[in-house]
Amino acid sequence: LSLPGSEFDTARLKVVWKMVVLSLAIGLAEQDDFANIPDPITSMQEAPTANQEALPPPDKRGVSNKPGNSPKGHPPDGHSSVTDLANSLTGDMVMLSPGSEDDDGEGPICEKLGRIQFSVGYSFQDSTLTVKILKGQELPAKDFSGTSDPFVKLYLLPDKKHKLETKVKRKNLNPHWNETFLFEGFPYEKVRERTLYLQVLDFDRFSRNDPIGEVSIPLNKLSDLGHMQTFWKELKPCMDGAGRRGDLLVSLCYNPTANTITVNIIKARNLKAMDIGGTSDPYVKLWLMHKDKRIEKKKTVTIKCCLNPVFNESFPFEVPAHVLRETTIIITVMDKDRLSRNDVIGKIYLSWKSGPAEVKHWKDMMGRPRTNVAQWHALKA
């Protein structure tokens, strides 16, 4: 270097100093594991719009879940300040939230479940309630092929023993059913005590049908039940035994040079208790799919008696560029059971044609090669 007497030389020295400090910061930060990743609500205090994070490359051997040796509530000496400096010098590594304007950054994106059109009317002459299931619109894809096979179940709650069903509409996210159902022999006084419950499901030939969404209409809320009335109603998440299944924090990293997608299963929160004791023994199973064909299977270790497990395990999958559009990664959180069959807690389908949250994550991964992109996902039935 020349004598630092000019402003130019001073600026060069500052740049070199920042590069040295940044190298030191990154070297220390890489010693961290993903167990120290804060929940989005904590991240929001530092970067209010950050629901996704660009993370350092994970250890592909899996990272230890053991906590550090520092006192509770205090980070190791000096580490926090160095990490803060690294973050201040690499602010472009923090990605904007993919949510809507009212997204507070806590938890996964609220996925739209579509809507359903139906008609309801009561005949006083025949003591018959008539329900017409007309059509659905913008239903989410539940199959890894990027579509669904929807049908509708009808109940008059609180009676769950007697149900009626529409036909299944194959591979259709905007189905037209146009089917009429009659609940005969119901006095008007009893009808007004009932709630019309419609549940839209995705038919699955080889396993349990997947709930898509539901609508409940207390019939005493309808002002003119004596005439057929037609409604459009937004579908809400099904609560009949399913409810919230928990969330999973996953990071994706696409390497176009190596033709790999690395999936890092970081941690889960608020998992549904599957055991009698009010807990679960969760592990995560991953399937790489090409079209409808299973290519490769991997899984994490099992965390005993835990509804908020930290896994920190990475799984690279070889995915050539020409098959990316036909590739789906199915992530299933399971409950290990020693005496019987393992239970499914919830699933995620990651591809370019899954639900809105999954597609957003996939596109962000493709748009930021060699960068670990983390996002919370709500587990689905």
Side-chain angles (χ1 to χ4, degrees):
L1 294 175
S2 60
L3 292 175
S6 66
E7 294 182 0
F8 176 77
D9 290 329
T10 302
R12 289 179 61 190
L13 285 173
K14 287 183 178 179
V15 171
V16 171
W17 172 246
K18 282 190 175 182
M19 290 177 64
V20 171
V21 175
L22 177 57
S23 299
L24 175 61
I26 293 176
L28 290 174
E30 286 179 346
Q31 298 176 12
D32 279 350
D33 58 39
F34 282 110
N36 294 324
I37 295 177
D39 286 333
I41 189 66
T42 305
S43 301
M44 288 294 291
Q45 296 174 357
E46 299 176 0
T49 59
N51 187 45
Q52 292 186 325
E53 308 161 31
L55 305 170
D59 185 353
K60 293 181 180 180
R61 297 169 299 174
V63 186
S64 171
N65 298 327
K66 295 180 181 179
N69 295 323
S70 59
K72 184 176 181 181
H74 299 278
D77 292 341
H79 178 77
S80 178
S81 60
V82 174
T83 302
D84 291 342
L85 177 57
N87 289 337
S88 67
L89 296 175
T90 57
D92 58 328
M93 294 179 65
V94 179
M95 292 159 40
L96 296 179
S97 166
S100 59
E101 294 180 354
D102 59 352
D103 182 14
D104 61 2
E106 171 65 22
I109 301 171
C110 182
E111 180 182 1
K112 291 186 177 181
L113 302 176
R115 56 182 188 156
I116 186 172
Q117 186 185 45
F118 59 96
S119 299
V120 184
Y122 182 78
S123 171
F124 290 91
Q125 181 177 356
D126 302 325
S127 297
T128 298
L129 180 71
T130 300
V131 180
K132 294 182 180 180
I133 305 299
L134 301 176
K135 56 186 176 181
Q137 198 172 75
E138 299 178 352
L139 301 182
K142 302 294 286 187
D143 302 332
F144 53 78
S145 59
T147 186
S148 293
D149 303 319
F151 70 101
V152 183
K153 286 184 180 180
L154 300 85
Y155 298 88
L156 283 183
L157 300 180
D159 180 14
K160 290 188 176 182
K161 295 182 179 179
H162 303 91
K163 70 175 185 296
L164 301 172
E165 297 182 2
T166 68
K167 295 179 180 179
V168 176
K169 296 297 180 180
R170 300 285 182 179
K171 298 182 178 181
N172 198 331
L173 301 181
N174 296 281
H176 288 246
W177 288 286
N178 293 320
E179 297 185 41
T180 300
F181 300 90
L182 303 178
F183 295 88
E184 299 177 315
F186 268 92
Y188 182 70
E189 292 75 15
K190 288 190 176 182
V191 166
R192 288 183 56 82
E193 297 174 355
R194 301 300 179 99
T195 295
L196 176 64
Y197 174 78
L198 308 178
Q199 183 183 42
V200 183
L201 301 101
D202 169 50
F203 175 78
D204 195 318
R205 180 182 300 176
F206 302 107
S207 63
R208 182 182 177 186
N209 298 326
D210 293 328
I212 294 177
E214 67 180 19
V215 171
S216 296
I217 304 292
L219 295 179
N220 60 3
K221 300 295 185 181
L222 301 183
S223 58
D224 191 9
L225 195 57
H227 295 84
M228 291 295 295
Q229 303 177 60
T230 300
F231 303 92
W232 273 109
K233 292 291 183 180
E234 298 289 330
L235 293 173
K236 298 180 180 180
C238 295
M239 302 302 292
D240 64 325
R244 294 278 304 172
R245 295 174 175 267
D247 307 314
L248 186 67
L249 182 59
V250 179
S251 79
L252 301 176
C253 181
Y254 174 58
N255 188 329
T257 304
N259 285 329
T260 59
I261 294 177
T262 300
V263 182
N264 187 20
I265 306 300
I266 303 174
K267 59 182 177 179
R269 66 183 179 193
N270 303 325
L271 294 182
K272 182 178 180 181
M274 305 297 288
D275 300 334
I276 298 177
T279 185
S280 292
D281 301 323
Y283 69 96
V284 181
K285 181 172 61 176
L286 301 90
W287 270 107
L288 176 68
M289 310 289 297
H290 178 241
K291 295 184 178 178
D292 295 341
K293 184 179 179 181
R294 293 181 175 181
I295 304 299
E296 188 176 1
K297 174 186 176 182
K298 299 183 179 182
K299 66 178 181 178
T300 69
V301 298
T302 300
I303 308 296
K304 297 288 186 180
C305 301
C306 187
L307 299 181
N308 296 279
V310 176
F311 296 101
N312 290 325
E313 295 190 49
S314 297
F315 304 96
F317 292 99
E318 185 176 345
V319 183
H322 67 278
V323 300
L324 273 172
R325 291 181 67 85
E326 291 83 32
T327 296
T328 300
I329 298 174
I330 303 178
I331 302 175
T332 307
V333 181
M334 305 287 296
D335 170 49
K336 183 77 172 180
D337 198 319
R338 183 184 299 179
L339 302 178
S340 62
R341 185 178 180 182
N342 298 333
D343 297 320
V344 175
I345 297 177
K347 296 183 179 181
I348 303 169
Y349 294 83
L350 294 174
S351 73
W352 72 274
K353 54 186 177 181
S354 305
E358 293 84 352
V359 170
K360 180 65 178 176
H361 198 178
W362 192 268
K363 288 182 177 179
D364 283 334
M365 172 196 70
M366 297 298 299
R368 296 168 174 83
R370 302 178 185 87
T371 301
N372 283 280
V373 184
Q375 183 175 311
W376 284 102
H377 291 274
L379 295 173
K380 302 173 185 177

